[in-house]
Amino acid sequence: MLPRAAYVDPEVFGWEQRHFFGGGWVCVGRSEQLRNPGDQRAEAVGTSSVLLVRGEDATLRAFANTCRHRGHELLPCGGAAVQKVIICPYHSWTYSLDGGLRAAAGFKNRPGFEAGQWGLIELPVTEWHGLIFVDGSGAAAPLADSLATLAELVAPYEMDRLVLAGQHDYDAAANWKILSENYHECYHCPAIHPELCKVSPPKSGENYAAAGTWVGGWMDLRDGMATMSLDGRSYGVALRGLDAAGLRTVIYVHIFPNVLVSLHPDYVMVHRLVPLAADRTRIECTWAFAPESLEQPGFDPGYAIEFWDITNRQDWHACESVQRGLSSPHAVPGPLSPDEDAVYQFVTMVARGYLGQPVWNPGGVASVS
Ligand code: FES
Ligand SMILES: [Fe+2]
C-alpha cells in the first residue's frame, strides 16, 4: 500500500489536485453529455473548473471557467446550460460559443478597449472514444499517445456511438485512490459481492501488461451468463463489433487519474471520480448502450443499472470503512496479495507521480526507480 498520509493528509490531497487532476489530462465527462451546439457544462479540473462548450461547428471547446471581466464563474461547477452564447451571470458579459467576447455593456467604442483581447482562455480538450478529457496545464503531451495501447482494446466497443441510458451520482466518504484500488481487484468479491460472483467468477481473468497511462484487466462471464446483471441475462443487444471472446468477457480499465471504464458485451459503464477532499469523492456513474438496444420497444436499461447500483454501493460501503480504518494513527501499510497486482500497478503510477516522474505504466511488471 501507499503510506497512510496518501489517503488522509489534506496536503497530499492538495498536491494531487494540482498535479494529477489539474496538471494533465483528466476526464470531465462523456461526449454525449454535450451533444448539440450550445450545450455547456462546467466541470472540476483540479482546484478550479472548466467550461465545456459544443460550438455551432460541432467542435467541442474548453475554457477556463472564469469571466474576463472580474472573474465570476461562467457556470457553477457541475452546472449545465443550453444557449447560443455564453453569458456571465454577474455583469452579463457575453461571449460567442468559440470564446470571443461579443458584448460588454458600457465598453462599446471605449478608446483602448479591444474586445478581441478579452476572449475566454482556451484549454486543450480531446474527445477520445466518447470520453472528454481536458488538460488543465495546457502543456501535456497528446492524450492519444499515452492511450495508444488501450485504443486497440476499446475500439470494438465503438464507445462514441453508444447512447447514454442511465446515470447515478454517488458521494462516497473515501479517498479517490481507495475507490480506484478497490476497482482493481476482485480479491474482495467473495466477501462482499454475492450478486457479482453469481455471474462472474471472482478469480477469472487477468490484468493487461500494457504500457501507457492506464491499468486494467478482464474477467470471464460464467457459462450461461450473457452479461453482468442480476440474472445474468441481457435485455439489450450485444455490441456489434465484438468477437466471440468479447461476448464472454468484461474488461475493466482505469485511465489515470480518474476514469474507470467497464466494457460489457452489451453496454459500457463509466465511473468518473471527482475528488472533493482527502476523504470524499463524487462518483458519476453512467451506462451507455448500442442505439439498437434503445430502439427495441420497451427497452429498459434497469437490468444493468440495478446490478451495478447494488455492486457500487457494496463497494463504496467497503471503501468508506477503509477510509475510517486508515484514519487510525495506528494504521500501517499492509502487503498486497498476488490477486492485487493491478492495485500494485496503480499505486506504482501514483508513486511515480509523487516522485516527479511521468506516471506512465511501462507495461509488464511495474517498478519505481
Ligand atoms: S465578472 Fe463576468 S461580467 Fe463581470
Ligand atoms: Fe467491488
Side-chain angles (χ1 to χ4, degrees):
M1 283 178 66
L2 294 167
R4 174 180 168 266
Y7 305 97
V8 300
D9 188 333
E11 282 190 39
V12 176
F13 179 75
W15 186 94
E16 291 175 341
Q17 283 283 65
R18 290 191 302 281
H19 292 87
F20 289 157
F21 292 88
W25 293 109
V26 69
C27 182
V28 290
R30 288 177 91 138
S31 297
E32 245 228 298
Q33 292 169 320
L34 290 124
R35 193 178 3 185
N36 302 314
D39 283 350
Q40 306 177 20
R41 286 173 76 94
E43 291 292 341
V45 169
T47 51
S48 60
S49 63
V50 294
L51 181 73
L52 302 163
V53 180
R54 182 73 68 183
E56 296 289 357
D57 54 357
T59 301
L60 183 71
R61 293 182 180 83
F63 304 104
N65 188 17
T66 177
C67 178
R68 293 301 306 275
H69 176 222
R70 278 174 44 218
H72 198 285
E73 289 171 316
L74 300 158
L75 274 181
C77 191
V82 185
Q83 277 187 123
K84 296 288 177 209
V85 288
I86 301 160
I87 304 178
C88 176
Y90 200 10
H91 314 93
S92 304
W93 276 33
T94 302
Y95 305 86
S96 44
L97 297 179
D98 66 7
L101 179 64
R102 209 193 249 193
F107 281 85
K108 202 167 184 189
N109 302 326
R110 286 274 162 189
F113 183 78
E114 296 279 347
Q117 292 176 356
W118 299 103
L120 298 176
I121 295 159
E122 198 161 352
L123 293 168
V125 63
T126 299
E127 290 182 87
W128 186 91
H129 292 267
L131 300 173
I132 303 171
F133 293 82
V134 168
D135 167 23
S137 75
L143 177 76
D145 291 357
S146 57
L147 298 180
T149 51
L150 182 59
E152 280 169 45
L153 202 63
V154 304
Y157 293 84
E158 302 181 288
M159 283 169 61
D160 45 10
R161 80 182 275 273
L162 305 187
V163 185
L164 284 184
Q167 174 169 341
H168 270 289
D169 290 326
Y170 304 93
D171 195 331
N175 185 274
W176 68 278
K177 298 187 297 300
I178 293 176
L179 299 164
S180 302
E181 292 167 11
N182 174 77
Y183 182 76
H184 284 306
E185 48 93 0
C186 215
Y187 188 43
H188 69 265
C189 293
I192 72 167
H193 295 315
E195 297 83 2
L196 183 147
C197 293
K198 224 179 95 187
V199 287
S200 184
K203 274 193 162 294
S204 66
E206 272 171 41
N207 293 314
Y208 300 107
T213 53
W214 65 278
V215 53
W218 52 271
M219 284 175 65
D220 290 327
L221 290 162
R222 286 191 194 277
D223 287 345
M225 303 294 172
T227 193
M228 301 298 271
S229 65
L230 289 173
D231 60 7
R233 289 177 60 188
S234 170
Y235 295 83
V237 177
L239 302 179
R240 66 182 184 183
L242 301 187
D243 59 14
L247 295 173
R248 302 304 315 143
T249 52
V250 183
I251 294 175
Y252 300 92
V253 293
H254 178 179
I255 300 171
F256 195 89
N258 75 321
V259 65
L260 315 173
V261 182
S262 305
L263 304 150
H264 300 67
D266 53 339
Y267 63 93
V268 174
M269 173 175 67
V270 172
H271 291 95
R272 186 167 65 88
L273 309 180
V274 183
L276 302 174
D279 60 356
R280 221 180 122 210
T281 307
R282 190 172 83 81
I283 305 137
E284 179 195 84
C285 188
T286 48
W287 290 262
F289 298 76
E292 304 85 76
S293 283
L294 277 94
E295 283 157 12
Q296 285 184 321
F299 173 73
D300 181 355
Y303 72 97
I305 296 171
E306 189 192 357
F307 173 86
W308 278 112
D309 184 47
I310 290 169
T311 308
N312 282 339
R313 288 174 196 280
Q314 292 163 340
D315 279 323
W316 313 156
H317 188 72
C319 290
E320 290 178 338
S321 181
V322 172
Q323 185 73 41
R324 289 192 298 274
L326 290 177
S327 74
S328 163
H330 305 293
V332 178
L336 298 172
S337 88
D339 289 344
E340 294 169 298
D341 55 322
V343 179
Y344 181 69
Q345 286 187 46
F346 168 69
V347 297
T348 307
M349 292 170 88
V350 172
R352 275 192 210 97
Y354 288 166
L355 294 175
Q357 301 172 8
V359 297
W360 192 283
N361 191 353
V365 179
S367 66
V368 177
S369 51

